Amino acid sequence: MAFAAENAEVSFEKKIIGVYSFDWTSSPYSEWKAYLEEYIGPHYNVEFIFSTENGDAEGEKTFMEKMGAVGASGVMAVSTYSLVNCLSICEQYQMYFLTLGMMNEDLSQYTEGQLAYYAGECGFGQDSRVNCGMDLLKKTVELLGTDEKMTIKMIGISPASGMPPVAPPLLQQKGAELGVEELQNQGMDIDYEEIYVSGFAPEDW
């Protein structure tokens, strides 16, 4: 995948940004990494440092501290094992922290100093994710087009071992569940089953 860095002659002060993920080999994380490296980095004079640590709480802590030691301006994380630990490290090193998923955290538990370096979350809103799950469920049932009883298996995925299922998949799963209930109310013989797994690989399902 190649990206053209337009207007590369524009001058920006160099910044270092750490990027934490439990996996850089599978889609969409490999594409996101390529986009940051091949387009955003050259265009905005950003040196991205991608995590190589283990995908666990200790690996996350080690990476955050390493980014503080090299003078990173901030860290972006696909998800986090402990937001409070990440924000404490960010406060110590005066670097910002952004999560690329909805943490649904009660921010009142954090200190003013920690929140000063929390750039927040980015991603789809809760309603859109619920609606996405509902629409996907209905379209799947429509495409299957069977009059026989149907059981929908809804898989809640933890991004890595030891982490709880992250908010976006849970919201989409809730949408699918609401879609099943709506079809049941319309008289369809349909049921659902919830399954939770760790990891994105289909063989883990």
Side-chain angles (χ1 to χ4, degrees), residues 41-71:
H43 186 81
Y44 293 104
N45 197 20
V46 177
E47 177 186 353
F48 289 103
I49 299 178
F50 298 90
S51 60
T52 57
E53 285 72 16
N54 292 334
D56 54 27
E58 188 60 33
E60 177 182 77
K61 179 176 181 292
T62 298
F63 181 72
M64 294 291 297
E65 292 175 338
K66 183 168 72 176
M67 291 303 96
V70 300

PDB file of all heavy atoms in Angstrom, residues 41-71:
ATOM      1  N   GLY A  41       3.392  10.463   8.700  1.00  0.00           N
ATOM      2  CA  GLY A  41       4.746  10.733   9.168  1.00  0.00           C
ATOM      3  C   GLY A  41       5.515  11.686   8.281  1.00  0.00           C
ATOM      4  O   GLY A  41       5.981  12.741   8.729  1.00  0.00           O
ATOM      5  N   PRO A  42       5.678  11.358   6.984  1.00  0.00           N
ATOM      6  CA  PRO A  42       6.422  12.247   6.089  1.00  0.00           C
ATOM      7  C   PRO A  42       5.753  13.611   5.907  1.00  0.00           C
ATOM      8  O   PRO A  42       6.436  14.641   5.803  1.00  0.00           O
ATOM      9  CB  PRO A  42       6.445  11.466   4.767  1.00  0.00           C
ATOM     10  CG  PRO A  42       6.244  10.042   5.151  1.00  0.00           C
ATOM     11  CD  PRO A  42       5.329  10.074   6.345  1.00  0.00           C
ATOM     12  N   HIS A  43       4.438  13.645   5.855  1.00  0.00           N
ATOM     13  CA  HIS A  43       3.728  14.894   5.581  1.00  0.00           C
ATOM     14  C   HIS A  43       3.818  15.869   6.750  1.00  0.00           C
ATOM     15  O   HIS A  43       3.999  17.072   6.550  1.00  0.00           O
ATOM     16  CB  HIS A  43       2.258  14.602   5.266  1.00  0.00           C
ATOM     17  CG  HIS A  43       1.484  15.813   4.836  1.00  0.00           C
ATOM     18  ND1 HIS A  43       1.524  16.304   3.548  1.00  0.00           N
ATOM     19  CD2 HIS A  43       0.673  16.651   5.530  1.00  0.00           C
ATOM     20  CE1 HIS A  43       0.758  17.394   3.461  1.00  0.00           C
ATOM     21  NE2 HIS A  43       0.230  17.620   4.663  1.00  0.00           N
ATOM     22  N   TYR A  44       3.681  15.357   7.976  1.00  0.00           N
ATOM     23  CA  TYR A  44       3.637  16.234   9.145  1.00  0.00           C
ATOM     24  C   TYR A  44       4.900  16.153  10.002  1.00  0.00           C
ATOM     25  O   TYR A  44       4.920  16.665  11.123  1.00  0.00           O
ATOM     26  CB  TYR A  44       2.411  15.895  10.006  1.00  0.00           C
ATOM     27  CG  TYR A  44       1.107  16.233   9.305  1.00  0.00           C
ATOM     28  CD1 TYR A  44       0.332  15.218   8.744  1.00  0.00           C
ATOM     29  CD2 TYR A  44       0.676  17.552   9.182  1.00  0.00           C
ATOM     30  CE1 TYR A  44      -0.860  15.517   8.090  1.00  0.00           C
ATOM     31  CE2 TYR A  44      -0.509  17.854   8.533  1.00  0.00           C
ATOM     32  CZ  TYR A  44      -1.272  16.838   7.981  1.00  0.00           C
ATOM     33  OH  TYR A  44      -2.451  17.136   7.334  1.00  0.00           O
ATOM     34  N   ASN A  45       5.943  15.525   9.485  1.00  0.00           N
ATOM     35  CA  ASN A  45       7.229  15.433  10.184  1.00  0.00           C
ATOM     36  C   ASN A  45       7.076  14.766  11.549  1.00  0.00           C
ATOM     37  O   ASN A  45       7.557  15.257  12.573  1.00  0.00           O
ATOM     38  CB  ASN A  45       7.862  16.824  10.343  1.00  0.00           C
ATOM     39  CG  ASN A  45       9.345  16.730  10.669  1.00  0.00           C
ATOM     40  OD1 ASN A  45       9.989  15.696  10.432  1.00  0.00           O
ATOM     41  ND2 ASN A  45       9.909  17.807  11.204  1.00  0.00           N
ATOM     42  N   VAL A  46       6.395  13.628  11.532  1.00  0.00           N
ATOM     43  CA  VAL A  46       6.162  12.870  12.759  1.00  0.00           C
ATOM     44  C   VAL A  46       6.929  11.556  12.696  1.00  0.00           C
ATOM     45  O   VAL A  46       6.849  10.825  11.705  1.00  0.00           O
ATOM     46  CB  VAL A  46       4.659  12.567  12.969  1.00  0.00           C
ATOM     47  CG1 VAL A  46       4.462  11.713  14.224  1.00  0.00           C
ATOM     48  CG2 VAL A  46       3.861  13.856  13.067  1.00  0.00           C
ATOM     49  N   GLU A  47       7.676  11.273  13.759  1.00  0.00           N
ATOM     50  CA  GLU A  47       8.318   9.973  13.889  1.00  0.00           C
ATOM     51  C   GLU A  47       7.407   9.092  14.738  1.00  0.00           C
ATOM     52  O   GLU A  47       7.225   9.340  15.926  1.00  0.00           O
ATOM     53  CB  GLU A  47       9.685  10.094  14.547  1.00  0.00           C
ATOM     54  CG  GLU A  47      10.360   8.745  14.768  1.00  0.00           C
ATOM     55  CD  GLU A  47      11.649   8.831  15.561  1.00  0.00           C
ATOM     56  OE1 GLU A  47      12.111   9.968  15.835  1.00  0.00           O
ATOM     57  OE2 GLU A  47      12.188   7.769  15.936  1.00  0.00           O
ATOM     58  N   PHE A  48       6.841   8.085  14.121  1.00  0.00           N
ATOM     59  CA  PHE A  48       5.989   7.154  14.848  1.00  0.00           C
ATOM     60  C   PHE A  48       6.828   5.987  15.351  1.00  0.00           C
ATOM     61  O   PHE A  48       7.615   5.406  14.607  1.00  0.00           O
ATOM     62  CB  PHE A  48       4.864   6.629  13.960  1.00  0.00           C
ATOM     63  CG  PHE A  48       3.811   7.650  13.645  1.00  0.00           C
ATOM     64  CD1 PHE A  48       3.773   8.267  12.407  1.00  0.00           C
ATOM     65  CD2 PHE A  48       2.863   8.001  14.601  1.00  0.00           C
ATOM     66  CE1 PHE A  48       2.806   9.213  12.112  1.00  0.00           C
ATOM     67  CE2 PHE A  48       1.885   8.957  14.317  1.00  0.00           C
ATOM     68  CZ  PHE A  48       1.860   9.565  13.067  1.00  0.00           C
ATOM     69  N   ILE A  49       6.658   5.665  16.621  1.00  0.00           N
ATOM     70  CA  ILE A  49       7.324   4.496  17.204  1.00  0.00           C
ATOM     71  C   ILE A  49       6.233   3.497  17.555  1.00  0.00           C
ATOM     72  O   ILE A  49       5.346   3.786  18.372  1.00  0.00           O
ATOM     73  CB  ILE A  49       8.138   4.870  18.454  1.00  0.00           C
ATOM     74  CG1 ILE A  49       9.226   5.889  18.091  1.00  0.00           C
ATOM     75  CG2 ILE A  49       8.767   3.621  19.074  1.00  0.00           C
ATOM     76  CD1 ILE A  49      10.045   6.359  19.273  1.00  0.00           C
ATOM     77  N   PHE A  50       6.277   2.332  16.927  1.00  0.00           N
ATOM     78  CA  PHE A  50       5.233   1.324  17.102  1.00  0.00           C
ATOM     79  C   PHE A  50       5.665   0.304  18.142  1.00  0.00           C
ATOM     80  O   PHE A  50       6.816  -0.119  18.193  1.00  0.00           O
ATOM     81  CB  PHE A  50       4.930   0.647  15.770  1.00  0.00           C
ATOM     82  CG  PHE A  50       4.397   1.602  14.737  1.00  0.00           C
ATOM     83  CD1 PHE A  50       5.263   2.273  13.890  1.00  0.00           C
ATOM     84  CD2 PHE A  50       3.040   1.847  14.629  1.00  0.00           C
ATOM     85  CE1 PHE A  50       4.789   3.164  12.939  1.00  0.00           C
ATOM     86  CE2 PHE A  50       2.546   2.742  13.689  1.00  0.00           C
ATOM     87  CZ  PHE A  50       3.435   3.406  12.833  1.00  0.00           C
ATOM     88  N   SER A  51       4.730  -0.098  18.955  1.00  0.00           N
ATOM     89  CA  SER A  51       5.023  -1.011  20.056  1.00  0.00           C
ATOM     90  C   SER A  51       5.477  -2.372  19.540  1.00  0.00           C
ATOM     91  O   SER A  51       4.993  -2.876  18.526  1.00  0.00           O
ATOM     92  CB  SER A  51       3.790  -1.192  20.941  1.00  0.00           C
ATOM     93  OG  SER A  51       2.718  -1.737  20.191  1.00  0.00           O
ATOM     94  N   THR A  52       6.423  -2.951  20.260  1.00  0.00           N
ATOM     95  CA  THR A  52       6.866  -4.326  20.003  1.00  0.00           C
ATOM     96  C   THR A  52       6.739  -5.159  21.275  1.00  0.00           C
ATOM     97  O   THR A  52       7.082  -6.340  21.269  1.00  0.00           O
ATOM     98  CB  THR A  52       8.331  -4.348  19.525  1.00  0.00           C
ATOM     99  OG1 THR A  52       9.158  -3.711  20.508  1.00  0.00           O
ATOM    100  CG2 THR A  52       8.477  -3.621  18.198  1.00  0.00           C
ATOM    101  N   GLU A  53       6.272  -4.531  22.337  1.00  0.00           N
ATOM    102  CA  GLU A  53       6.137  -5.210  23.621  1.00  0.00           C
ATOM    103  C   GLU A  53       4.996  -6.227  23.585  1.00  0.00           C
ATOM    104  O   GLU A  53       4.143  -6.201  22.695  1.00  0.00           O
ATOM    105  CB  GLU A  53       5.870  -4.194  24.742  1.00  0.00           C
ATOM    106  CG  GLU A  53       7.085  -3.383  25.162  1.00  0.00           C
ATOM    107  CD  GLU A  53       7.485  -2.358  24.113  1.00  0.00           C
ATOM    108  OE1 GLU A  53       6.683  -2.055  23.225  1.00  0.00           O
ATOM    109  OE2 GLU A  53       8.612  -1.858  24.188  1.00  0.00           O
ATOM    110  N   ASN A  54       4.992  -7.096  24.559  1.00  0.00           N
ATOM    111  CA  ASN A  54       3.916  -8.070  24.680  1.00  0.00           C
ATOM    112  C   ASN A  54       2.571  -7.368  24.836  1.00  0.00           C
ATOM    113  O   ASN A  54       2.483  -6.295  25.437  1.00  0.00           O
ATOM    114  CB  ASN A  54       4.144  -8.982  25.893  1.00  0.00           C
ATOM    115  CG  ASN A  54       5.338  -9.888  25.721  1.00  0.00           C
ATOM    116  OD1 ASN A  54       5.720 -10.216  24.595  1.00  0.00           O
ATOM    117  ND2 ASN A  54       5.939 -10.307  26.825  1.00  0.00           N
ATOM    118  N   GLY A  55       1.536  -7.985  24.292  1.00  0.00           N
ATOM    119  CA  GLY A  55       0.206  -7.415  24.397  1.00  0.00           C
ATOM    120  C   GLY A  55      -0.438  -7.735  25.728  1.00  0.00           C
ATOM    121  O   GLY A  55      -1.395  -8.504  25.802  1.00  0.00           O
ATOM    122  N   ASP A  56       0.102  -7.149  26.790  1.00  0.00           N
ATOM    123  CA  ASP A  56      -0.464  -7.339  28.126  1.00  0.00           C
ATOM    124  C   ASP A  56      -0.234  -6.066  28.926  1.00  0.00           C
ATOM    125  O   ASP A  56       0.360  -5.101  28.436  1.00  0.00           O
ATOM    126  CB  ASP A  56       0.142  -8.561  28.825  1.00  0.00           C
ATOM    127  CG  ASP A  56       1.667  -8.524  28.885  1.00  0.00           C
ATOM    128  OD1 ASP A  56       2.256  -7.415  28.872  1.00  0.00           O
ATOM    129  OD2 ASP A  56       2.278  -9.610  28.944  1.00  0.00           O
ATOM    130  N   ALA A  57      -0.721  -6.045  30.153  1.00  0.00           N
ATOM    131  CA  ALA A  57      -0.639  -4.839  30.975  1.00  0.00           C
ATOM    132  C   ALA A  57       0.807  -4.405  31.206  1.00  0.00           C
ATOM    133  O   ALA A  57       1.126  -3.210  31.190  1.00  0.00           O
ATOM    134  CB  ALA A  57      -1.355  -5.068  32.302  1.00  0.00           C
ATOM    135  N   GLU A  58       1.701  -5.356  31.440  1.00  0.00           N
ATOM    136  CA  GLU A  58       3.102  -5.018  31.691  1.00  0.00           C
ATOM    137  C   GLU A  58       3.756  -4.482  30.429  1.00  0.00           C
ATOM    138  O   GLU A  58       4.553  -3.537  30.484  1.00  0.00           O
ATOM    139  CB  GLU A  58       3.852  -6.256  32.192  1.00  0.00           C
ATOM    140  CG  GLU A  58       5.268  -5.960  32.670  1.00  0.00           C
ATOM    141  CD  GLU A  58       5.326  -4.959  33.819  1.00  0.00           C
ATOM    142  OE1 GLU A  58       4.396  -4.954  34.636  1.00  0.00           O
ATOM    143  OE2 GLU A  58       6.312  -4.179  33.873  1.00  0.00           O
ATOM    144  N   GLY A  59       3.426  -5.068  29.272  1.00  0.00           N
ATOM    145  CA  GLY A  59       3.962  -4.571  28.016  1.00  0.00           C
ATOM    146  C   GLY A  59       3.490  -3.166  27.710  1.00  0.00           C
ATOM    147  O   GLY A  59       4.253  -2.329  27.219  1.00  0.00           O
ATOM    148  N   GLU A  60       2.232  -2.886  28.004  1.00  0.00           N
ATOM    149  CA  GLU A  60       1.686  -1.547  27.817  1.00  0.00           C
ATOM    150  C   GLU A  60       2.432  -0.534  28.694  1.00  0.00           C
ATOM    151  O   GLU A  60       2.822   0.546  28.235  1.00  0.00           O
ATOM    152  CB  GLU A  60       0.206  -1.549  28.151  1.00  0.00           C
ATOM    153  CG  GLU A  60      -0.468  -0.196  28.060  1.00  0.00           C
ATOM    154  CD  GLU A  60      -1.926  -0.282  28.450  1.00  0.00           C
ATOM    155  OE1 GLU A  60      -2.206  -0.366  29.676  1.00  0.00           O
ATOM    156  OE2 GLU A  60      -2.797  -0.267  27.557  1.00  0.00           O
ATOM    157  N   LYS A  61       2.637  -0.872  29.958  1.00  0.00           N
ATOM    158  CA  LYS A  61       3.337   0.011  30.894  1.00  0.00           C
ATOM    159  C   LYS A  61       4.770   0.265  30.429  1.00  0.00           C
ATOM    160  O   LYS A  61       5.244   1.413  30.444  1.00  0.00           O
ATOM    161  CB  LYS A  61       3.333  -0.603  32.288  1.00  0.00           C
ATOM    162  CG  LYS A  61       4.049   0.210  33.363  1.00  0.00           C
ATOM    163  CD  LYS A  61       3.877  -0.461  34.720  1.00  0.00           C
ATOM    164  CE  LYS A  61       4.564   0.333  35.829  1.00  0.00           C
ATOM    165  NZ  LYS A  61       6.040   0.312  35.698  1.00  0.00           N
ATOM    166  N   THR A  62       5.449  -0.796  29.981  1.00  0.00           N
ATOM    167  CA  THR A  62       6.822  -0.653  29.513  1.00  0.00           C
ATOM    168  C   THR A  62       6.891   0.279  28.317  1.00  0.00           C
ATOM    169  O   THR A  62       7.777   1.145  28.227  1.00  0.00           O
ATOM    170  CB  THR A  62       7.397  -2.033  29.137  1.00  0.00           C
ATOM    171  OG1 THR A  62       7.411  -2.867  30.299  1.00  0.00           O
ATOM    172  CG2 THR A  62       8.817  -1.901  28.585  1.00  0.00           C
ATOM    173  N   PHE A  63       5.960   0.115  27.381  1.00  0.00           N
ATOM    174  CA  PHE A  63       5.950   0.959  26.182  1.00  0.00           C
ATOM    175  C   PHE A  63       5.671   2.410  26.546  1.00  0.00           C
ATOM    176  O   PHE A  63       6.326   3.329  26.024  1.00  0.00           O
ATOM    177  CB  PHE A  63       4.902   0.452  25.189  1.00  0.00           C
ATOM    178  CG  PHE A  63       4.842   1.254  23.921  1.00  0.00           C
ATOM    179  CD1 PHE A  63       5.860   1.154  22.978  1.00  0.00           C
ATOM    180  CD2 PHE A  63       3.783   2.119  23.669  1.00  0.00           C
ATOM    181  CE1 PHE A  63       5.815   1.891  21.803  1.00  0.00           C
ATOM    182  CE2 PHE A  63       3.731   2.858  22.504  1.00  0.00           C
ATOM    183  CZ  PHE A  63       4.748   2.752  21.564  1.00  0.00           C
ATOM    184  N   MET A  64       4.715   2.654  27.430  1.00  0.00           N
ATOM    185  CA  MET A  64       4.401   4.023  27.827  1.00  0.00           C
ATOM    186  C   MET A  64       5.609   4.694  28.459  1.00  0.00           C
ATOM    187  O   MET A  64       5.934   5.857  28.152  1.00  0.00           O
ATOM    188  CB  MET A  64       3.231   4.013  28.812  1.00  0.00           C
ATOM    189  CG  MET A  64       1.904   3.545  28.241  1.00  0.00           C
ATOM    190  SD  MET A  64       1.195   4.689  27.039  1.00  0.00           S
ATOM    191  CE  MET A  64       0.930   6.140  28.068  1.00  0.00           C
ATOM    192  N   GLU A  65       6.299   3.989  29.334  1.00  0.00           N
ATOM    193  CA  GLU A  65       7.482   4.559  29.990  1.00  0.00           C
ATOM    194  C   GLU A  65       8.614   4.792  28.990  1.00  0.00           C
ATOM    195  O   GLU A  65       9.350   5.786  29.095  1.00  0.00           O
ATOM    196  CB  GLU A  65       7.938   3.645  31.122  1.00  0.00           C
ATOM    197  CG  GLU A  65       6.954   3.605  32.285  1.00  0.00           C
ATOM    198  CD  GLU A  65       7.332   2.604  33.354  1.00  0.00           C
ATOM    199  OE1 GLU A  65       8.097   1.657  33.038  1.00  0.00           O
ATOM    200  OE2 GLU A  65       6.860   2.744  34.509  1.00  0.00           O
ATOM    201  N   LYS A  66       8.748   3.899  28.022  1.00  0.00           N
ATOM    202  CA  LYS A  66       9.766   4.081  26.991  1.00  0.00           C
ATOM    203  C   LYS A  66       9.479   5.321  26.161  1.00  0.00           C
ATOM    204  O   LYS A  66      10.391   6.084  25.832  1.00  0.00           O
ATOM    205  CB  LYS A  66       9.820   2.847  26.086  1.00  0.00           C
ATOM    206  CG  LYS A  66      10.910   2.913  25.025  1.00  0.00           C
ATOM    207  CD  LYS A  66      11.120   1.571  24.340  1.00  0.00           C
ATOM    208  CE  LYS A  66       9.979   1.240  23.414  1.00  0.00           C
ATOM    209  NZ  LYS A  66      10.232  -0.018  22.667  1.00  0.00           N
ATOM    210  N   MET A  67       8.212   5.569  25.847  1.00  0.00           N
ATOM    211  CA  MET A  67       7.855   6.761  25.085  1.00  0.00           C
ATOM    212  C   MET A  67       8.120   8.033  25.891  1.00  0.00           C
ATOM    213  O   MET A  67       8.571   9.042  25.343  1.00  0.00           O
ATOM    214  CB  MET A  67       6.373   6.696  24.674  1.00  0.00           C
ATOM    215  CG  MET A  67       6.054   5.621  23.646  1.00  0.00           C
ATOM    216  SD  MET A  67       7.020   5.763  22.110  1.00  0.00           S
ATOM    217  CE  MET A  67       8.365   4.620  22.457  1.00  0.00           C
ATOM    218  N   GLY A  68       7.866   7.977  27.182  1.00  0.00           N
ATOM    219  CA  GLY A  68       8.185   9.129  28.014  1.00  0.00           C
ATOM    220  C   GLY A  68       9.665   9.410  28.040  1.00  0.00           C
ATOM    221  O   GLY A  68      10.097  10.574  27.982  1.00  0.00           O
ATOM    222  N   ALA A  69      10.480   8.347  28.088  1.00  0.00           N
ATOM    223  CA  ALA A  69      11.941   8.502  28.161  1.00  0.00           C
ATOM    224  C   ALA A  69      12.526   9.094  26.888  1.00  0.00           C
ATOM    225  O   ALA A  69      13.542   9.800  26.939  1.00  0.00           O
ATOM    226  CB  ALA A  69      12.580   7.149  28.459  1.00  0.00           C
ATOM    227  N   VAL A  70      11.906   8.825  25.729  1.00  0.00           N
ATOM    228  CA  VAL A  70      12.445   9.359  24.466  1.00  0.00           C
ATOM    229  C   VAL A  70      11.846  10.717  24.126  1.00  0.00           C
ATOM    230  O   VAL A  70      12.147  11.287  23.078  1.00  0.00           O
ATOM    231  CB  VAL A  70      12.218   8.375  23.295  1.00  0.00           C
ATOM    232  CG1 VAL A  70      12.896   7.051  23.566  1.00  0.00           C
ATOM    233  CG2 VAL A  70      10.733   8.192  22.989  1.00  0.00           C
ATOM    234  N   GLY A  71      10.990  11.244  24.980  1.00  0.00           N
ATOM    235  CA  GLY A  71      10.437  12.573  24.765  1.00  0.00           C
ATOM    236  C   GLY A  71       9.264  12.626  23.802  1.00  0.00           C
ATOM    237  O   GLY A  71       9.071  13.644  23.119  1.00  0.00           O
TER     238      GLY A  71
END
